Amino acid sequence: SDLNLTSTAFPASTYNWTGPNGFSSALQNPTITNAILADSGIYHLNISSNGCTGPTTNITVHVSPTPSTPAVGSNSPLCEGNSITLTASSTAGSSYFWTGPLTYSSNVQNPVISNAVTGMSGTYTVVASIGTCSSGSSSVNVVVNMVPTSLFTVTSPVCAQQNSTITYTGT
């Protein structure tokens, strides 16, 4: 993102900014577009007005790295009762924030969700952050399949060599 340096306006003034990475500017409020790590450091400002130069003002600026958008994965599809495993690629110094179905959230890079139910099917999204700088979001679709159950009923008693009814109800 951009680094905006600002100063109080003084009538009939000239501004002399200097700083890291070879920075210099005569603007009152200069902007460094697409600031990089090398732009971190101490910036100096001298203001001159009507032939008088004020004291040098210093400000320390820290430019944090923006983490890469994580590559994501999961163990989908899986069956009810199993655990959902979500994975996000690692960027040094990053923290992670996952969201998903049923108001799911986690701050773990590679969370495991135990005892999955079909309602946990859907899109899980993660963002990596370093300080106040966040990556783009990545998403993975998870499918939790229902485990089939079956119930049999038999009309009883059953007589030898006669028709009998067996009923199956499955889910």
Side-chain angles (χ1 to χ4, degrees):
S1 60
D2 296 344
L3 171 58
N4 298 305
L5 301 168
T6 58
S7 172
T8 305
F10 292 98
S13 295
T14 59
Y15 301 86
N16 180 26
W17 287 93
T18 59
N21 204 20
F23 176 77
S24 67
S25 176
L27 298 174
Q28 175 191 344
N29 301 315
T31 297
I32 299 171
T33 52
N34 298 318
I36 59 174
L37 296 177
D39 294 322
S40 293
I42 299 173
Y43 287 81
H44 311 278
L45 172 63
N46 285 315
I47 301 174
S48 298
S49 179
N50 297 318
C52 300
T53 300
T56 300
T57 303
N58 300 315
I59 185 168
T60 301
V61 173
H62 178 73
V63 178
S64 296
T66 300
S68 301
T69 300
V72 295
S74 78
N75 61 334
S76 178
L78 60 132
C79 298
E80 285 180 307
N82 291 338
S83 295
I84 298 171
T85 301
L86 302 171
T87 59
S89 59
S90 180
T91 298
S94 290
S95 58
Y96 298 84
F97 183 68
W98 284 91
T99 57
L102 301 177
T103 66
Y104 175 76
S105 67
S106 175
N107 290 324
V108 176
Q109 178 185 348
N110 299 312
V112 176
I113 308 165
S114 301
N115 299 313
V117 296
T118 57
M120 293 176 177
S121 292
T123 302
Y124 290 79
T125 302
V126 67
V127 172
S129 298
I130 298 175
T132 59
C133 301
S134 296
S135 71
S137 63
S138 289
S139 298
V140 62
N141 191 49
V142 171
V143 175
V144 180
N145 293 311
M146 187 180 342
V147 173
T149 59
S150 59
L151 300 171
F152 286 94
T153 57
V154 178
T155 305
S156 184
V158 177
C159 299
Q161 298 179 352
Q162 290 186 353
N163 291 336
S164 172
T165 304
I166 298 175
T167 307
Y168 163 77
T169 47
T171 56

